[in-house]
Amino acid sequence: MTANFSFECIASCQETKARAGVFQTPHGIVETPRFMPVGTLANVKTITPAQLQDTGAQMVLSNTYHLHLQPGEEIVAGGGGLHKFMGWHGPMLTDSGGFQVFSLSEMRKITEEGVTFRSPHDGQIINLTPERSIAIQNTLGADVIMAFDECPPYPATRQEVEAATSRTYRWLERCIAAHQRPDQALFGIVQGGVYLDLRAKAAEDLKQLNLPGYAIGGVSVGEPPELIAQIVATTAPLLPFDKPRYLMGVGTYREMAVAIASGVDLFDCVIPTRWARHGTAMVQGERWNLKNAKFREDFAPLDETCPCYTCQHFSRAYISHLVRSQEILAYTLLSIHNITELIRFTQKIRHAIIKGTFAQDFAHWLEPSTESSDED
């Protein structure tokens, strides 16, 4: 593996493909399976790095596309690189920008060279190629960087998905050639849409490249939950056992539990902070709308078993009051709790895998999800 990176599986479930591991990076370890909070613009919305550390977060994401547009990667580099610029000293990952370009379907043109699109900030024409994405990420300085890929939409024809998957592989080869920093691990992304044979072929092709890690992309773009589960169950076991496996854009209890049972190690999603900004708390897998009248005089904490700052100091009634008053503190307190909630869930799964009780302890969650995740 790239210098200063390693991955070790320390325990495996005997009834599923779940595993507990340790991913070593230049900025510390990540104990897997693990949920990673999203800090798109070099900040996790509404909370400080110190508060983020208290949630149990070990690895955080930022986004190449957004940081390129604002403030620009050279400014981040001038501030000492992404870790110093945002004051987070643990492991970091940057997305390639491929998903954001995918979401600009009305504003972009895809060619073999790359993607041309119009900036939503100032209308400037921007050309993002595999080489440019890697150069930006090399400048930003995250520990893990992602290959530039083409994420096909759902639904899409087999011909369209096949073309996007083939292009993703050719772009990956260009990303590998362009990558300049041995202190950054480049992960490849498996595409293939809902076509399981295309997913399997893509996984086998990427496996031959002996990358430091592998991601499963192109899910949570509108597919039914049962299809997501099938895609992950087909793809994850085909990826190298001795490398970390990352499922992009997924972060509900059931989605993560089902994916972990297929052998996935890392997850990211914006839902804990997005739901917080809508006055929603995540409590043991349930969604609670704090605007509901039943919380106005409920003086219990959100979750009596939760060690987070929010649950240790404030009541449901107080947070409901803040939400109703549209006070910014409401979003901070809910973000702290929601992030802690998802990280604790993956920590509990890790402990159960090590104890050998995962399949029994989490049987309730090992069913296809009817929930969906969102991009920020």
Side-chain angles (χ1 to χ4, degrees):
M1 192 174 277
T2 303
N4 302 317
F5 290 90
S6 65
F7 179 80
E8 179 186 5
C9 177
I10 64 169
S12 297
C13 174
Q14 298 302 307
E15 299 175 55
T16 70
K17 294 181 172 62
R19 76 251 191 95
V22 178
F23 179 36
Q24 178 71 52
T25 80
H27 285 88
I29 66 168
V30 184
E31 297 171 324
T32 65
R34 199 81 175 193
F35 175 79
M36 303 181 292
V38 176
T40 301
L41 279 163
N43 74 300
V44 176
K45 285 183 170 55
T46 74
I47 67 175
T48 68
Q51 291 168 328
L52 183 60
Q53 186 171 8
D54 288 343
T55 67
Q58 290 182 332
M59 191 168 195
V60 178
L61 275 70
S62 279
N63 184 266
T64 299
Y65 164 81
H66 290 291
L67 290 173
H68 174 61
L69 295 181
Q70 174 65 35
E73 61 274 15
E74 297 300 337
I75 289 178
V76 175
L82 194 51
H83 293 85
K84 186 174 181 181
F85 187 64
M86 70 174 284
W88 174 258
H89 304 295
M92 290 199 69
L93 180 152
T94 43
D95 192 0
S96 68
F99 184 89
Q100 284 66 38
V101 171
F102 154 80
S103 68
L104 296 171
S105 57
E106 303 301 317
M107 303 168 60
R108 50 107 166 118
K109 178 182 179 181
I110 301 174
T111 67
E112 186 64 25
E113 178 61 21
V115 182
T116 302
F117 62 96
R118 191 175 296 277
S119 167
H121 289 281
D122 57 14
Q124 177 185 355
I125 298 296
I126 296 175
N127 185 32
L128 194 58
T129 65
E131 292 81 6
R132 187 72 184 118
S133 174
I134 295 300
I136 295 168
Q137 293 185 84
N138 284 167
T139 301
L140 291 171
D143 300 274
V144 173
I145 65 175
M146 302 303 300
F148 191 63
D149 63 327
E150 181 180 348
C151 178
Y154 176 84
T157 67
R158 181 182 176 91
Q159 184 178 13
E160 291 169 332
V161 174
E162 201 161 8
T165 305
S166 297
R167 182 176 288 126
T168 291
Y169 182 82
R170 295 191 296 273
W171 282 359
L172 172 58
E173 292 182 309
R174 289 164 58 186
C175 288
I176 293 170
H179 184 32
Q180 297 293 319
R181 291 183 57 166
D183 61 338
Q184 291 181 304
L186 172 63
F187 282 24
I189 303 174
V190 178
Q191 292 290 354
V194 298
Y195 301 96
L196 301 183
D197 61 320
L198 297 183
R199 288 279 181 177
K201 182 180 185 304
E204 290 294 345
D205 289 344
L206 266 63
K207 185 177 179 179
Q208 302 306 313
L209 297 174
N210 193 31
L211 298 166
Y214 297 83
I216 301 171
V219 298
S220 291
V221 294
E223 317 93 324
E226 60 271 16
L227 268 181
I228 296 176
Q230 289 177 12
I231 290 166
V232 176
T234 297
T235 308
L238 297 176
L239 298 173
F241 186 80
D242 60 345
K243 305 290 178 66
R245 302 163 178 165
Y246 163 33
L247 180 58
M248 307 177 77
V250 162
T252 66
Y253 266 41
R254 185 166 281 107
E255 286 173 331
M256 290 194 295
V258 169
I260 288 167
S262 295
V264 173
D265 306 301
L266 297 168
F267 305 87
D268 80 283
C269 192
V270 301
I271 59 172
T273 50
R274 169 168 283 182
W275 287 359
R277 298 195 302 278
H278 288 84
T280 300
M282 309 173 74
V283 182
Q284 299 189 23
E286 297 181 356
R287 296 175 64 173
W288 290 4
N289 182 352
L290 271 298
K291 295 176 185 175
N292 288 346
K294 66 179 181 179
F295 294 116
R296 296 191 70 170
E297 297 183 58
D298 187 340
F299 300 104
L302 288 173
D303 183 348
E304 292 181 352
T305 71
C306 180
C308 82
Y309 174 79
T310 302
C311 290
Q312 293 300 308
H313 293 87
F314 304 103
S315 67
R316 300 168 186 176
Y318 179 65
I319 299 170
S320 176
H321 154 65
L322 294 178
V323 169
R324 289 167 175 273
S325 303
Q326 297 184 321
E327 286 288 339
I328 294 173
L329 181 58
Y331 315 136
T332 296
L333 295 179
L334 286 172
S335 291
I336 289 171
H337 169 75
N338 289 349
I339 293 171
T340 303
E341 175 86 4
L342 288 182
I343 291 172
R344 285 181 73 217
F345 182 69
T346 53
Q347 286 178 303
K348 289 174 184 176
I349 289 181
R350 174 184 168 84
H351 294 152
I353 294 169
I354 293 171
K355 288 192 304 179
T357 60
F358 167 66
Q360 295 75 36
D361 294 353
F362 291 86
H364 170 65
W365 297 108
L366 297 179
E367 298 293 335
S369 172
T370 57
E371 304 163 316
S372 62
S373 302
D374 299 296
E375 174 68 15
D376 208 5

